[in-house]
């Protein structure tokens, strides 16, 4: 609800801390149209907002699951992906042509010190990507949920902590060209982020996570009206 220049002060007064390390990559040069693609691990729904705060400007964020409440209260523009490769490529390319984009290739949040397998789609959209290692500190409430109904309250739960804290670490850009495939680039970015965070990279997917924790594939059946 507040102007961007006031949100930092308001957050500090409310006990929210955002620690920033590393230097954000400078804006793309005139030879490259569009914005920069920031690739981060996925801790909570606030990852992209923390990166936007660290950059001091608004960015586009793409997400696979988005609750109506999260969409309404988000201070940055959000785009829901379809999990359809070609359609998601088209949507992300359009956003990237308009400005900076933040994407979390894990496809779902992970509160443990592990990184899920990265979807390689992001590596096909830009000549280089900027990895950003993000982490959060919670003392009472976790801002992650496996329940689709409760998911919209994840940001609220995180901010209910007495001293919620986010760390944002900008890392050296990774080129996506050359002889490496998009899958190899995705694995490289995953390793870079894992090393920076002290986490363990895995080959587990979003579906694996939900099957282990909730006994489903993370999808909800909807009733079709006649």
């Amino acid at each position: 609800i507040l102007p961007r220049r006031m949100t930092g002060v308001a957050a500090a007064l409310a006990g929210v801390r955002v620690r920033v390390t590393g230097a954000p990559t400078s804006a793309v040069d005139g030879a490259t149209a569009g914005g920069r693609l920031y690739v981060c691990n996925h801790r909570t729904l606030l990852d992209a907002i923390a990166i936007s705060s660290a950059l001091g400007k608004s960015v586009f964020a793409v997400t696979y699951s988005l609750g109506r409440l999260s969409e309404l209260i988000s201070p940055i523009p959000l785009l829901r992906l379809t999990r359809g490769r070609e359609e998601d490529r088209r949507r992300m390319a359009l956003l990237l042509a308009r400005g900076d984009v933040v994407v979390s290739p894990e496809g779902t949040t992970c509160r443990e010190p592990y990184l899920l397998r990265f979807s390689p789609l992001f590596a096909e959209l830009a000549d280089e990507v900027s990895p950003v290692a993000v982490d959060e500190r919670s003392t009472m409430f976790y801002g992650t949920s496996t329940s689709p109904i409760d998911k919209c309250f994840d940001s609220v739960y995180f901010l209910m902590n007495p001293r919620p804290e986010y760390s944002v670490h900008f890392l050296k850009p990774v080129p996506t060209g050359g002889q490496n495939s998009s899958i190899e680039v995705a694995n490289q970015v995953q390793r870079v982020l894992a090393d920076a965070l002290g986490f363990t990279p895995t080959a587990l997917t979003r579906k694996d996570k939900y099957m282990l924790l909730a006994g489903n594939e993370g999808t909800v059946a909807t009733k079709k009206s006649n």
Side-chain angles (χ1 to χ4, degrees), residues 7 16 43 77-78 133 139 178 210 226:
T7 55
V16 181
R43 298 299 276 175
L78 303 177
T139 55
Y210 278 97
N226 294 329

Side-chain angles (χ1 to χ4, degrees), residues 57-80:
K57 63 179 180 179
S58 182
V59 297
F60 295 105
V62 293
T63 178
Y64 287 102
S65 57
L66 181 62
R68 179 62 63 184
L69 178 61
S70 300
E71 189 174 8
L72 290 174
I73 66 176
S74 174
I76 61 175
L78 303 177
L79 175 70
R80 187 196 305 269

Side-chain angles (χ1 to χ4, degrees), residues 86-107:
E86 293 306 319
E87 176 61 20
D88 288 347
R89 181 206 298 271
R90 185 188 69 83
R91 294 186 181 192
M92 292 175 65
L94 288 174
L95 282 186
L96 198 57
R98 295 169 55 190
D100 295 344
V101 177
V102 176
V103 60
S104 301
E106 289 177 284

Side-chain angles (χ1 to χ4, degrees), residues 146-147 206-219:
T146 57
S147 168
R206 168 186 172 276
K207 289 184 178 180
D208 294 330
K209 167 199 164 179
Y210 278 97
M211 287 300 298
L212 288 169
L213 298 179
N216 59 63
E217 294 186 354
T219 58

